[in-house]
Amino acid sequence: MPVTVSVLCVCLGNICRSPTAEAVLRTRAEEAGLALEVDSAGTGGWHVGHPPDRRAQAAAAARGYDLSRQRARQVVQGDGRFDLILAMDDQNAADLRRLLPPEAHDRIALFLDGAPETAGRSVPDPYYDDRFDHVLDLIEAAADGWVARLKAGR
């Protein structure tokens, strides 16, 4: 199954939302028979090299997603190569427009644009409020939407 689309999921520190989105999107794509290259990164570099937050790992594991091998990294210029760059919130999208070359800007979207009922909204950062299950609910819904769109060639 050849890779047809590359997707980068982006949040602030790459330890909660974007690694969760990476794992969910990869899993949902595999289940749908869609070959995707999926990665994640943060707009900030505070957690580079660290594994995802233990709470994010626990919430994801409870639903069958394994984040344990992921390590945080910061967005770099070369990430402009991705076909689709999915930001977790408006600030991440704005930061991506600052960090990536102009030719990548039209490939930046909000992750929740994948689900009509959540479009235009942000995936809230669960780092301070512990709403990891709520974040997973949103990410799963949007991942299913992106998989359906990408499978249909849109």
Side-chain angles (χ1 to χ4, degrees), residues 43-56:
T43 57
W46 312 278
H47 302 291
V48 169
H50 296 179
D53 183 283
R54 63 174 173 71
R55 299 165 297 170

Side-chain angles (χ1 to χ4, degrees), residues 16-31 52-70 111 132-133 135-144 147:
C16 294
R17 297 173 290 173
S18 58
T20 299
E22 175 187 346
V24 171
L25 187 57
R26 179 179 292 117
T27 299
R28 298 296 176 106
E30 288 172 1
E31 291 170 353
D53 183 283
R54 63 174 173 71
R55 299 165 297 170
Q57 289 192 56
R63 296 194 192 188
Y65 307 108
D66 181 10
L67 311 183
S68 66
R69 289 187 292 277
Q70 295 184 38
F111 192 86
F132 290 91
D133 285 320
V135 165
L136 265 162
D137 292 340
L138 293 171
I139 287 173
E140 286 177 332
D144 289 343
V147 167

Side-chain angles (χ1 to χ4, degrees), residues 17 19 82 93-95 111 113 118 133 139 149 154:
R17 297 173 290 173
F82 283 89
D95 290 342
F111 192 86
D113 287 347
T118 62
D133 285 320
I139 287 173
R149 277 188 192 184
R154 296 182 278 132

Side-chain angles (χ1 to χ4, degrees), residues 106-120:
D106 65 339
R107 289 178 268 128
I108 298 169
L110 289 176
F111 192 86
L112 291 186
D113 287 347
E117 67 278 8
T118 62

Side-chain angles (χ1 to χ4, degrees), residues 1 15 19 23-24 31 38 50 58 60 64 76 78 92-93 98 100 110-112 119-120 124 143:
M1 175 163 64
I15 61 166
V24 171
E31 291 170 353
V38 186
H50 296 179
V76 295
N92 299 144
R98 181 179 49 78
L100 296 178
L110 289 176
F111 192 86
L112 291 186

